[in-house]
Amino acid sequence: MTGEQPTEAPSVRSEVIDLASTPIVAVHGDIDAMAALQEMYRNGVHHLAVASTTAPTGLVTAIDLLFGIAGRIPGEPVSVDSLCRRPAPQVAAEDSVAIAAHRMIEEHTDALLVISHGEIRGVLTAVDLVRAIAGNVHYNAEENESETGVR
């Protein structure tokens, strides 16, 4: 084997609320996809909560918006409502990281809205999960070196 090897299993924070990105960036569903993409750019995010007075909260990704814009007839507006997932994939704030990871797999998504008492408290992304896991894996280069003789 080459490289450093983990010496113990990751011990990740127990609740997803600790990992979720906040504050939540949201848009109203009736805005144009390009305006939503610009909102993402201004806020440095890749996911937006989509609010509506008549439908459940949705979730839209940068890829959803880009594909929607690319697929439209030039000059034809495309609303965020037509591109977002409703209802949004979500997880409870007190759920474990394992539950969130399984939910992402089940929903075929890379982001979940984090919900507490019926309110959106954050957005949890696959990158958030990877950072949490990677931050909790401890490497012991000396142990690896003595086992493999590789520096």
Side-chain angles (χ1 to χ4, degrees):
M1 278 190 223
T2 61
E4 297 176 343
Q5 299 298 315
T7 58
E8 60 184 58
S11 171
V12 182
R13 295 177 188 151
S14 61
E15 294 184 351
V16 297
I17 191 65
D18 297 328
L19 305 175
S21 303
T22 57
I24 300 103
V25 181
V27 295
H28 199 276
D30 62 358
I31 72 164
D32 183 66
M34 183 58 84
L37 195 58
Q38 291 167 340
E39 188 69 20
M40 281 182 176
Y41 177 77
R42 280 192 295 275
N43 287 281
V45 298
H46 300 275
H47 303 85
L48 294 172
V50 181
S52 173
T53 56
T54 60
T57 302
L59 183 68
V60 68
T61 69
I63 297 297
D64 296 334
L65 296 174
L66 290 169
F67 275 54
I69 291 166
R72 72 177 171 187
I73 298 170
E76 177 185 294
V78 176
S79 73
V80 171
D81 265 338
S82 68
L83 304 173
C84 76
R85 292 185 63 180
R86 289 193 194 273
Q90 54 188 258
V91 66
E94 65 276 1
D95 282 346
S96 70
V97 170
I99 289 172
H102 285 287
R103 181 82 31 84
M104 282 185 189
I105 292 166
E106 291 167 358
E107 297 281 340
H108 303 284
T109 187
D110 67 343
L112 302 166
L113 295 181
V114 178
I115 308 296
S116 179
H117 304 292
E119 294 183 17
I120 302 170
R121 300 291 307 275
V123 176
L124 181 73
T125 68
V127 172
D128 296 329
L129 293 179
V130 169
R131 282 187 183 129
I133 293 166
N136 285 288
V137 176
H138 302 288
Y139 291 92
N140 186 334
E142 289 177 9
E143 182 179 305
N144 184 52
E145 183 180 325
S146 68
E147 289 177 7
T148 64
V150 177
R151 269 192 111 151

